[in-house]
């Protein structure tokens, strides 16, 4: 019960930063990534010579090297997208845990920038242990 109250306090401490980030991020995702995904899919359909997919031709479409390449690019893009989202949420919750408000010196723009920088660093250095340390320190206290 004590842990649940602690989690609720953390979420509500910077609730407007958290909600603001999620709303803006999801709207931009819907406006940018959905059309990008469909454009890439249409491009691959044209490059492979398919007008439409059916149950009969989907196996040959998915085994085409161009399709496999597109799927790999999409997986990489979605991984970066997800890491940015998770990293920014962790930063906001960490600030809540430390009782730091996202005001003046730490506006929402800085939260996005910090999330972006941390995502780039994590991709560069391949350090997934940071998340584990933050989770461990949360339950340790």
């Amino acid at each position: 019960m004590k842990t649940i109250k602690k989690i609720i306090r953390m979420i509500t401490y910077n609730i407007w930063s958290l909600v603001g980030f999620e709303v803006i991020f999801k709207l931009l995702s819907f406006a940018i990534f959905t059309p990008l995904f469909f454009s890439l899919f249409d491009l691959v359909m044209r490059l492979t010579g398919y007008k439409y997919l059916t149950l009969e031709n989907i196996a040959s479409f998915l085994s085409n090297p161009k399709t496999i390449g597109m799927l790999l690019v999409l997986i990489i893009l979605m991984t970066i997208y997800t890491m940015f989202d998770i990293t920014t949420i962790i930063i906001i919750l960490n600030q809540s845990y430390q009782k730091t408000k996202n005001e003046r010196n730490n506006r929402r723009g800085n939260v996005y920038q910090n999330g972006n920088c941390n995502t780039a660093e994590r991709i560069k250095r391949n350090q997934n242990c940071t998340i584990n340390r933050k989770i461990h320190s949360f339950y340790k206290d």
Side-chain angles (χ1 to χ4, degrees):
M1 192 67 176
K2 184 178 179 181
T3 306
I4 294 173
K5 286 182 183 179
K6 190 176 194 180
I7 292 170
I8 291 171
R9 267 189 262 123
M10 274 181 41
I11 292 172
T12 57
Y13 194 79
N14 278 326
I15 189 74
W16 295 117
S17 295
L18 191 59
V19 169
F21 167 74
E22 284 298 320
V23 166
I24 291 170
F25 191 67
K26 299 305 178 201
L27 286 174
L28 287 175
S29 299
F30 185 71
I32 295 171
F33 290 113
T34 303
L36 180 66
F37 171 77
F38 285 120
S39 297
L40 284 173
F41 194 77
D42 288 340
L43 176 67
V44 170
M45 290 282 288
R46 275 188 275 128
L47 290 175
T48 55
Y50 289 96
K51 301 247 184 239
Y52 55 89
L53 290 178
T54 63
L55 290 175
E56 289 81 25
N57 67 3
I58 197 160
S60 62
F61 174 75
L62 291 175
S63 63
N64 190 317
K66 293 174 187 173
T67 305
I68 294 170
M70 185 238 2
L71 289 174
L72 289 174
V73 168
L74 282 175
I75 289 171
I76 290 169
L77 290 175
M78 289 307 295
T79 302
I80 292 169
Y81 168 85
T82 304
M83 283 183 65
F84 176 75
D85 188 23
I86 291 170
T87 303
T88 306
I89 290 170
I90 288 173
I91 288 169
I92 293 171
L93 292 177
N94 185 41
Q95 289 175 342
S96 295
Y97 179 73
Q98 295 176 5
K99 303 273 191 236
T100 305
K101 283 281 189 185
N102 286 323
E103 294 172 355
R104 280 194 185 170
N105 297 330
N106 202 4
R107 296 184 195 277
R108 282 191 187 105
N110 287 346
V111 172
Y112 304 132
Q113 184 178 4
N114 289 340
N116 194 18
C117 292
N118 286 342
T119 301
E121 287 174 19
R122 189 163 295 137
I123 290 170
K124 226 185 294 182
R125 293 190 224 152
N126 195 14
Q127 291 184 350
N128 294 327
C129 60
T130 306
I131 293 172
N132 293 334
R133 276 191 239 130
K134 289 190 184 223
I135 292 171
H136 177 70
S137 68
F138 172 75
Y139 284 110
K140 187 177 175 183
D141 291 335

PDB file of all heavy atoms in Angstrom, residues 91-115:
ATOM      1  N   ILE A  91      12.442  10.476 -17.169  1.00  0.00           N
ATOM      2  CA  ILE A  91      12.989  11.758 -16.702  1.00  0.00           C
ATOM      3  C   ILE A  91      11.938  12.519 -15.905  1.00  0.00           C
ATOM      4  O   ILE A  91      12.221  13.052 -14.829  1.00  0.00           O
ATOM      5  CB  ILE A  91      13.491  12.593 -17.891  1.00  0.00           C
ATOM      6  CG1 ILE A  91      14.765  11.969 -18.452  1.00  0.00           C
ATOM      7  CG2 ILE A  91      13.743  14.043 -17.485  1.00  0.00           C
ATOM      8  CD1 ILE A  91      15.199  12.563 -19.775  1.00  0.00           C
ATOM      9  N   ILE A  92      10.710  12.568 -16.401  1.00  0.00           N
ATOM     10  CA  ILE A  92       9.647  13.281 -15.690  1.00  0.00           C
ATOM     11  C   ILE A  92       9.370  12.620 -14.339  1.00  0.00           C
ATOM     12  O   ILE A  92       9.249  13.295 -13.310  1.00  0.00           O
ATOM     13  CB  ILE A  92       8.362  13.356 -16.539  1.00  0.00           C
ATOM     14  CG1 ILE A  92       8.594  14.250 -17.760  1.00  0.00           C
ATOM     15  CG2 ILE A  92       7.187  13.892 -15.715  1.00  0.00           C
ATOM     16  CD1 ILE A  92       7.473  14.212 -18.773  1.00  0.00           C
ATOM     17  N   LEU A  93       9.290  11.292 -14.313  1.00  0.00           N
ATOM     18  CA  LEU A  93       9.040  10.592 -13.045  1.00  0.00           C
ATOM     19  C   LEU A  93      10.225  10.718 -12.090  1.00  0.00           C
ATOM     20  O   LEU A  93      10.033  10.812 -10.874  1.00  0.00           O
ATOM     21  CB  LEU A  93       8.708   9.128 -13.303  1.00  0.00           C
ATOM     22  CG  LEU A  93       7.370   8.869 -14.003  1.00  0.00           C
ATOM     23  CD1 LEU A  93       7.193   7.392 -14.279  1.00  0.00           C
ATOM     24  CD2 LEU A  93       6.212   9.412 -13.185  1.00  0.00           C
ATOM     25  N   ASN A  94      11.438  10.756 -12.628  1.00  0.00           N
ATOM     26  CA  ASN A  94      12.606  10.955 -11.777  1.00  0.00           C
ATOM     27  C   ASN A  94      12.582  12.347 -11.152  1.00  0.00           C
ATOM     28  O   ASN A  94      12.917  12.515  -9.980  1.00  0.00           O
ATOM     29  CB  ASN A  94      13.885  10.741 -12.576  1.00  0.00           C
ATOM     30  CG  ASN A  94      15.127  10.823 -11.713  1.00  0.00           C
ATOM     31  OD1 ASN A  94      15.141  10.307 -10.587  1.00  0.00           O
ATOM     32  ND2 ASN A  94      16.159  11.438 -12.230  1.00  0.00           N
ATOM     33  N   GLN A  95      12.175  13.341 -11.919  1.00  0.00           N
ATOM     34  CA  GLN A  95      12.048  14.690 -11.363  1.00  0.00           C
ATOM     35  C   GLN A  95      10.967  14.729 -10.295  1.00  0.00           C
ATOM     36  O   GLN A  95      11.105  15.427  -9.291  1.00  0.00           O
ATOM     37  CB  GLN A  95      11.748  15.694 -12.466  1.00  0.00           C
ATOM     38  CG  GLN A  95      12.931  15.947 -13.363  1.00  0.00           C
ATOM     39  CD  GLN A  95      12.594  16.856 -14.520  1.00  0.00           C
ATOM     40  OE1 GLN A  95      11.429  17.047 -14.864  1.00  0.00           O
ATOM     41  NE2 GLN A  95      13.622  17.419 -15.129  1.00  0.00           N
ATOM     42  N   SER A  96       9.896  13.992 -10.494  1.00  0.00           N
ATOM     43  CA  SER A  96       8.846  13.913  -9.474  1.00  0.00           C
ATOM     44  C   SER A  96       9.384  13.243  -8.215  1.00  0.00           C
ATOM     45  O   SER A  96       9.079  13.655  -7.098  1.00  0.00           O
ATOM     46  CB  SER A  96       7.649  13.125  -9.994  1.00  0.00           C
ATOM     47  OG  SER A  96       7.047  13.788 -11.055  1.00  0.00           O
ATOM     48  N   TYR A  97      10.166  12.188  -8.398  1.00  0.00           N
ATOM     49  CA  TYR A  97      10.739  11.467  -7.257  1.00  0.00           C
ATOM     50  C   TYR A  97      11.667  12.379  -6.456  1.00  0.00           C
ATOM     51  O   TYR A  97      11.679  12.339  -5.236  1.00  0.00           O
ATOM     52  CB  TYR A  97      11.503  10.238  -7.762  1.00  0.00           C
ATOM     53  CG  TYR A  97      12.139   9.439  -6.671  1.00  0.00           C
ATOM     54  CD1 TYR A  97      11.356   8.649  -5.829  1.00  0.00           C
ATOM     55  CD2 TYR A  97      13.505   9.454  -6.492  1.00  0.00           C
ATOM     56  CE1 TYR A  97      11.928   7.905  -4.828  1.00  0.00           C
ATOM     57  CE2 TYR A  97      14.086   8.712  -5.490  1.00  0.00           C
ATOM     58  CZ  TYR A  97      13.306   7.933  -4.657  1.00  0.00           C
ATOM     59  OH  TYR A  97      13.881   7.199  -3.663  1.00  0.00           O
ATOM     60  N   GLN A  98      12.406  13.243  -7.158  1.00  0.00           N
ATOM     61  CA  GLN A  98      13.321  14.171  -6.489  1.00  0.00           C
ATOM     62  C   GLN A  98      12.632  15.470  -6.083  1.00  0.00           C
ATOM     63  O   GLN A  98      13.281  16.394  -5.626  1.00  0.00           O
ATOM     64  CB  GLN A  98      14.499  14.479  -7.403  1.00  0.00           C
ATOM     65  CG  GLN A  98      15.361  13.289  -7.685  1.00  0.00           C
ATOM     66  CD  GLN A  98      16.459  13.596  -8.675  1.00  0.00           C
ATOM     67  OE1 GLN A  98      16.643  14.740  -9.096  1.00  0.00           O
ATOM     68  NE2 GLN A  98      17.210  12.580  -9.047  1.00  0.00           N
ATOM     69  N   LYS A  99      11.314  15.517  -6.285  1.00  0.00           N
ATOM     70  CA  LYS A  99      10.500  16.702  -5.963  1.00  0.00           C
ATOM     71  C   LYS A  99      10.988  17.944  -6.712  1.00  0.00           C
ATOM     72  O   LYS A  99      11.097  19.031  -6.169  1.00  0.00           O
ATOM     73  CB  LYS A  99      10.513  16.975  -4.456  1.00  0.00           C
ATOM     74  CG  LYS A  99      10.035  15.815  -3.618  1.00  0.00           C
ATOM     75  CD  LYS A  99       8.557  15.862  -3.479  1.00  0.00           C
ATOM     76  CE  LYS A  99       8.122  14.863  -2.424  1.00  0.00           C
ATOM     77  NZ  LYS A  99       7.163  13.927  -2.895  1.00  0.00           N
ATOM     78  N   THR A 100      11.276  17.773  -7.989  1.00  0.00           N
ATOM     79  CA  THR A 100      11.699  18.872  -8.852  1.00  0.00           C
ATOM     80  C   THR A 100      10.576  19.145  -9.834  1.00  0.00           C
ATOM     81  O   THR A 100      10.173  18.267 -10.580  1.00  0.00           O
ATOM     82  CB  THR A 100      12.971  18.490  -9.639  1.00  0.00           C
ATOM     83  OG1 THR A 100      13.967  18.077  -8.728  1.00  0.00           O
ATOM     84  CG2 THR A 100      13.482  19.657 -10.448  1.00  0.00           C
ATOM     85  N   LYS A 101      10.074  20.366  -9.818  1.00  0.00           N
ATOM     86  CA  LYS A 101       9.010  20.739 -10.749  1.00  0.00           C
ATOM     87  C   LYS A 101       9.605  21.105 -12.099  1.00  0.00           C
ATOM     88  O   LYS A 101      10.735  21.558 -12.197  1.00  0.00           O
ATOM     89  CB  LYS A 101       8.235  21.951 -10.219  1.00  0.00           C
ATOM     90  CG  LYS A 101       7.262  21.619  -9.126  1.00  0.00           C
ATOM     91  CD  LYS A 101       6.018  21.041  -9.714  1.00  0.00           C
ATOM     92  CE  LYS A 101       4.961  20.912  -8.632  1.00  0.00           C
ATOM     93  NZ  LYS A 101       3.789  20.248  -9.107  1.00  0.00           N
ATOM     94  N   ASN A 102       8.824  20.914 -13.150  1.00  0.00           N
ATOM     95  CA  ASN A 102       9.229  21.309 -14.500  1.00  0.00           C
ATOM     96  C   ASN A 102       8.808  22.753 -14.722  1.00  0.00           C
ATOM     97  O   ASN A 102       7.869  23.039 -15.414  1.00  0.00           O
ATOM     98  CB  ASN A 102       8.558  20.414 -15.543  1.00  0.00           C
ATOM     99  CG  ASN A 102       9.160  19.056 -15.573  1.00  0.00           C
ATOM    100  OD1 ASN A 102      10.366  18.933 -15.414  1.00  0.00           O
ATOM    101  ND2 ASN A 102       8.353  18.055 -15.745  1.00  0.00           N
ATOM    102  N   GLU A 103       9.520  23.674 -14.116  1.00  0.00           N
ATOM    103  CA  GLU A 103       9.193  25.087 -14.235  1.00  0.00           C
ATOM    104  C   GLU A 103      10.417  25.851 -14.706  1.00  0.00           C
ATOM    105  O   GLU A 103      11.485  25.287 -14.880  1.00  0.00           O
ATOM    106  CB  GLU A 103       8.713  25.634 -12.886  1.00  0.00           C
ATOM    107  CG  GLU A 103       7.402  25.016 -12.436  1.00  0.00           C
ATOM    108  CD  GLU A 103       7.035  25.405 -11.024  1.00  0.00           C
ATOM    109  OE1 GLU A 103       7.841  26.078 -10.372  1.00  0.00           O
ATOM    110  OE2 GLU A 103       5.951  25.027 -10.592  1.00  0.00           O
ATOM    111  N   ARG A 104      10.286  27.128 -14.850  1.00  0.00           N
ATOM    112  CA  ARG A 104      11.304  28.065 -15.292  1.00  0.00           C
ATOM    113  C   ARG A 104      12.548  27.459 -15.917  1.00  0.00           C
ATOM    114  O   ARG A 104      12.707  27.457 -17.099  1.00  0.00           O
ATOM    115  CB  ARG A 104      11.725  28.956 -14.127  1.00  0.00           C
ATOM    116  CG  ARG A 104      10.781  30.051 -13.901  1.00  0.00           C
ATOM    117  CD  ARG A 104      11.399  31.038 -13.016  1.00  0.00           C
ATOM    118  NE  ARG A 104      10.389  32.031 -12.742  1.00  0.00           N
ATOM    119  CZ  ARG A 104      10.513  32.949 -11.868  1.00  0.00           C
ATOM    120  NH1 ARG A 104      11.582  33.024 -11.136  1.00  0.00           N
ATOM    121  NH2 ARG A 104       9.561  33.814 -11.685  1.00  0.00           N
ATOM    122  N   ASN A 105      13.466  26.975 -15.090  1.00  0.00           N
ATOM    123  CA  ASN A 105      14.734  26.478 -15.605  1.00  0.00           C
ATOM    124  C   ASN A 105      14.593  25.126 -16.273  1.00  0.00           C
ATOM    125  O   ASN A 105      15.505  24.672 -16.925  1.00  0.00           O
ATOM    126  CB  ASN A 105      15.765  26.378 -14.473  1.00  0.00           C
ATOM    127  CG  ASN A 105      16.073  27.731 -13.891  1.00  0.00           C
ATOM    128  OD1 ASN A 105      15.998  28.737 -14.589  1.00  0.00           O
ATOM    129  ND2 ASN A 105      16.418  27.765 -12.623  1.00  0.00           N
ATOM    130  N   ASN A 106      13.474  24.482 -16.062  1.00  0.00           N
ATOM    131  CA  ASN A 106      13.306  23.149 -16.626  1.00  0.00           C
ATOM    132  C   ASN A 106      11.940  23.043 -17.293  1.00  0.00           C
ATOM    133  O   ASN A 106      11.092  22.320 -16.855  1.00  0.00           O
ATOM    134  CB  ASN A 106      13.468  22.112 -15.519  1.00  0.00           C
ATOM    135  CG  ASN A 106      13.829  20.771 -16.083  1.00  0.00           C
ATOM    136  OD1 ASN A 106      14.026  20.634 -17.272  1.00  0.00           O
ATOM    137  ND2 ASN A 106      13.900  19.789 -15.232  1.00  0.00           N
ATOM    138  N   ARG A 107      11.751  23.802 -18.341  1.00  0.00           N
ATOM    139  CA  ARG A 107      10.463  23.807 -19.039  1.00  0.00           C
ATOM    140  C   ARG A 107      10.239  22.504 -19.785  1.00  0.00           C
ATOM    141  O   ARG A 107      11.125  21.688 -19.904  1.00  0.00           O
ATOM    142  CB  ARG A 107      10.428  24.970 -20.021  1.00  0.00           C
ATOM    143  CG  ARG A 107      10.503  26.311 -19.344  1.00  0.00           C
ATOM    144  CD  ARG A 107      10.359  27.396 -20.396  1.00  0.00           C
ATOM    145  NE  ARG A 107      10.755  28.669 -19.877  1.00  0.00           N
ATOM    146  CZ  ARG A 107       9.987  29.460 -19.163  1.00  0.00           C
ATOM    147  NH1 ARG A 107       8.777  29.084 -18.864  1.00  0.00           N
ATOM    148  NH2 ARG A 107      10.415  30.618 -18.741  1.00  0.00           N
ATOM    149  N   ARG A 108       9.028  22.334 -20.298  1.00  0.00           N
ATOM    150  CA  ARG A 108       8.699  21.115 -21.035  1.00  0.00           C
ATOM    151  C   ARG A 108       9.626  20.909 -22.217  1.00  0.00           C
ATOM    152  O   ARG A 108       9.990  19.799 -22.541  1.00  0.00           O
ATOM    153  CB  ARG A 108       7.255  21.166 -21.526  1.00  0.00           C
ATOM    154  CG  ARG A 108       6.281  20.876 -20.455  1.00  0.00           C
ATOM    155  CD  ARG A 108       4.889  20.674 -21.026  1.00  0.00           C
ATOM    156  NE  ARG A 108       3.964  20.566 -19.934  1.00  0.00           N
ATOM    157  CZ  ARG A 108       3.129  21.510 -19.562  1.00  0.00           C
ATOM    158  NH1 ARG A 108       3.077  22.630 -20.218  1.00  0.00           N
ATOM    159  NH2 ARG A 108       2.320  21.329 -18.541  1.00  0.00           N
ATOM    160  N   GLY A 109      10.033  21.983 -22.884  1.00  0.00           N
ATOM    161  CA  GLY A 109      10.958  21.856 -24.007  1.00  0.00           C
ATOM    162  C   GLY A 109      12.248  21.183 -23.594  1.00  0.00           C
ATOM    163  O   GLY A 109      12.821  20.391 -24.331  1.00  0.00           O
ATOM    164  N   ASN A 110      12.717  21.507 -22.382  1.00  0.00           N
ATOM    165  CA  ASN A 110      13.927  20.868 -21.893  1.00  0.00           C
ATOM    166  C   ASN A 110      13.684  19.391 -21.611  1.00  0.00           C
ATOM    167  O   ASN A 110      14.590  18.579 -21.757  1.00  0.00           O
ATOM    168  CB  ASN A 110      14.436  21.555 -20.630  1.00  0.00           C
ATOM    169  CG  ASN A 110      15.050  22.915 -20.932  1.00  0.00           C
ATOM    170  OD1 ASN A 110      15.325  23.217 -22.082  1.00  0.00           O
ATOM    171  ND2 ASN A 110      15.251  23.713 -19.914  1.00  0.00           N
ATOM    172  N   VAL A 111      12.487  19.041 -21.171  1.00  0.00           N
ATOM    173  CA  VAL A 111      12.175  17.631 -20.937  1.00  0.00           C
ATOM    174  C   VAL A 111      12.279  16.872 -22.243  1.00  0.00           C
ATOM    175  O   VAL A 111      12.864  15.797 -22.309  1.00  0.00           O
ATOM    176  CB  VAL A 111      10.773  17.460 -20.316  1.00  0.00           C
ATOM    177  CG1 VAL A 111      10.381  16.000 -20.271  1.00  0.00           C
ATOM    178  CG2 VAL A 111      10.738  18.048 -18.928  1.00  0.00           C
ATOM    179  N   TYR A 112      11.729  17.438 -23.330  1.00  0.00           N
ATOM    180  CA  TYR A 112      11.820  16.778 -24.628  1.00  0.00           C
ATOM    181  C   TYR A 112      13.276  16.671 -25.070  1.00  0.00           C
ATOM    182  O   TYR A 112      13.711  15.648 -25.566  1.00  0.00           O
ATOM    183  CB  TYR A 112      11.023  17.531 -25.690  1.00  0.00           C
ATOM    184  CG  TYR A 112       9.581  17.727 -25.346  1.00  0.00           C
ATOM    185  CD1 TYR A 112       8.975  18.962 -25.470  1.00  0.00           C
ATOM    186  CD2 TYR A 112       8.808  16.674 -24.875  1.00  0.00           C
ATOM    187  CE1 TYR A 112       7.648  19.147 -25.160  1.00  0.00           C
ATOM    188  CE2 TYR A 112       7.482  16.853 -24.561  1.00  0.00           C
ATOM    189  CZ  TYR A 112       6.901  18.090 -24.695  1.00  0.00           C
ATOM    190  OH  TYR A 112       5.594  18.267 -24.385  1.00  0.00           O
ATOM    191  N   GLN A 113      14.019  17.771 -24.864  1.00  0.00           N
ATOM    192  CA  GLN A 113      15.418  17.782 -25.266  1.00  0.00           C
ATOM    193  C   GLN A 113      16.213  16.760 -24.453  1.00  0.00           C
ATOM    194  O   GLN A 113      17.026  16.030 -25.003  1.00  0.00           O
ATOM    195  CB  GLN A 113      15.993  19.182 -25.075  1.00  0.00           C
ATOM    196  CG  GLN A 113      17.419  19.321 -25.558  1.00  0.00           C
ATOM    197  CD  GLN A 113      17.930  20.739 -25.385  1.00  0.00           C
ATOM    198  OE1 GLN A 113      17.242  21.595 -24.846  1.00  0.00           O
ATOM    199  NE2 GLN A 113      19.139  20.974 -25.829  1.00  0.00           N
ATOM    200  N   ASN A 114      15.973  16.695 -23.141  1.00  0.00           N
ATOM    201  CA  ASN A 114      16.659  15.712 -22.308  1.00  0.00           C
ATOM    202  C   ASN A 114      16.311  14.298 -22.737  1.00  0.00           C
ATOM    203  O   ASN A 114      17.168  13.426 -22.782  1.00  0.00           O
ATOM    204  CB  ASN A 114      16.295  15.895 -20.835  1.00  0.00           C
ATOM    205  CG  ASN A 114      16.896  17.143 -20.245  1.00  0.00           C
ATOM    206  OD1 ASN A 114      17.850  17.680 -20.781  1.00  0.00           O
ATOM    207  ND2 ASN A 114      16.320  17.615 -19.161  1.00  0.00           N
ATOM    208  N   GLY A 115      15.043  14.052 -23.038  1.00  0.00           N
ATOM    209  CA  GLY A 115      14.638  12.733 -23.498  1.00  0.00           C
ATOM    210  C   GLY A 115      15.323  12.377 -24.805  1.00  0.00           C
ATOM    211  O   GLY A 115      15.801  11.258 -24.985  1.00  0.00           O
TER     212      GLY A 115
END
